[in-house]
Amino acid sequence: MALPCGTALWLLPQRAVWWPAESMVLVADVHFGKAATFRRAGQPVPHGTTGDNLARLDALLRATGARHLVFLGDFLHARTGAADALWQQLQPWREQHGAVHMTLVRGNHDAHAGDPPAALGIALVNEPWAPVQGVPMLACHHPQKADGATVLAGHLHPTVTLRGMARDRLRLPCFDWSPGLLVLPAFGAFTGTSSLSPAPDALRFAVAADRVCRVPPG
């Protein structure tokens, strides 16, 4: 898609945005440590979500060749999930991608969970953050409008429900675009979703397997 300022962005089926001119890929709401947090609370949730998230990030970086990875908030889920076992998985992964610059735009969960360890080499910024000076695009966690700029954000975990001829339904993660604001689907494998009524002028792009499809209005 082309932004009003002429910047071209690609909406990827990996639930990410690719900015080819800047070799930058952006993801939202990974929520590392969420499953561990739930297990500590006695909830029977699956193991292996961190490994799945890292494998998908690996594939995304290989596919794009990105030199900069931006997390649009909620890198961590909660302080109780930020245990040694998590860092033992994240540290070697970060070292494998040592040539990739990484930035975290702090989200609401990060405010409670705390920043990731400095050893991970992830730059920390607050919203709104301008990734490239002179380009009217802002990286945020919370969806918001900014005069004269396009905002990329997460937080809402948007989905869309598609209905078939036989009254069947399929709920898919989606990108939600309205003038001046692009909300990304949650990247994390164990994040939950939200089905919100879109704004009247919104366009939604569903993530279906290996493709991104524009959803007809109505």
Side-chain angles (χ1 to χ4, degrees):
M1 65 186 302
L3 301 184
C5 63
T7 298
L9 301 177
W10 294 13
L11 308 183
L12 302 181
Q14 294 93 332
R15 306 183 194 182
V17 169
W18 169 232
W19 188 355
E22 299 299 330
S23 192
M24 181 184 298
V25 67
L26 303 97
V27 299
D29 301 285
V30 178
H31 286 269
F32 281 121
K34 182 174 182 178
T37 298
F38 277 49
R39 286 194 295 272
R40 285 174 180 266
Q43 299 296 319
V45 298
H47 291 263
T49 56
T50 295
D52 178 78
N53 287 334
L54 293 178
R56 291 169 52 236
L57 285 171
D58 284 338
L60 177 62
L61 292 173
R62 285 196 304 268
T64 60
R67 297 192 300 270
H68 192 170
L69 171 61
V70 177
F71 296 96
L72 296 177
D74 290 0
F75 180 82
L76 297 173
H77 181 72
R79 191 174 297 275
T80 54
D84 288 345
L86 176 62
W87 309 133
Q88 288 168 7
Q89 287 182 273
L90 289 179
Q91 189 64 47
W93 173 81
R94 181 66 181 101
E95 291 170 0
Q96 291 172 11
H97 300 286
V100 179
H101 185 63
M102 297 188 186
T103 300
L104 167 61
V105 182
R106 294 183 178 98
N108 56 301
H109 278 267
D110 302 301
H112 298 289
D115 293 332
L120 287 183
I122 298 175
L124 304 170
V125 298
N126 295 319
E127 64 178 0
W129 173 64
V132 178
Q133 296 301 315
V135 178
M137 192 179 83
L138 298 175
C140 298
H141 175 65
H142 298 91
Q144 55 198 275
K145 294 294 183 78
D147 290 342
T150 296
V151 171
L152 271 61
H155 186 58
L156 298 181
H157 306 193
T159 63
V160 61
T161 300
L162 306 180
R163 294 172 173 80
M165 298 295 290
R167 296 185 180 179
D168 50 332
R169 295 185 178 186
L170 179 62
R171 192 176 186 184
L172 298 172
C174 72
F175 296 88
D176 191 296
W177 163 259
S178 57
L181 176 63
L182 176 64
V183 180
L184 279 66
F187 184 87
F190 182 64
T191 54
T193 58
S194 174
S195 183
L196 302 174
S197 298
D201 56 354
L203 297 177
R204 291 178 295 174
F205 300 85
V207 177
D210 61 349
R211 64 183 62 189
V212 175
C213 308
R214 179 175 172 178
V215 179

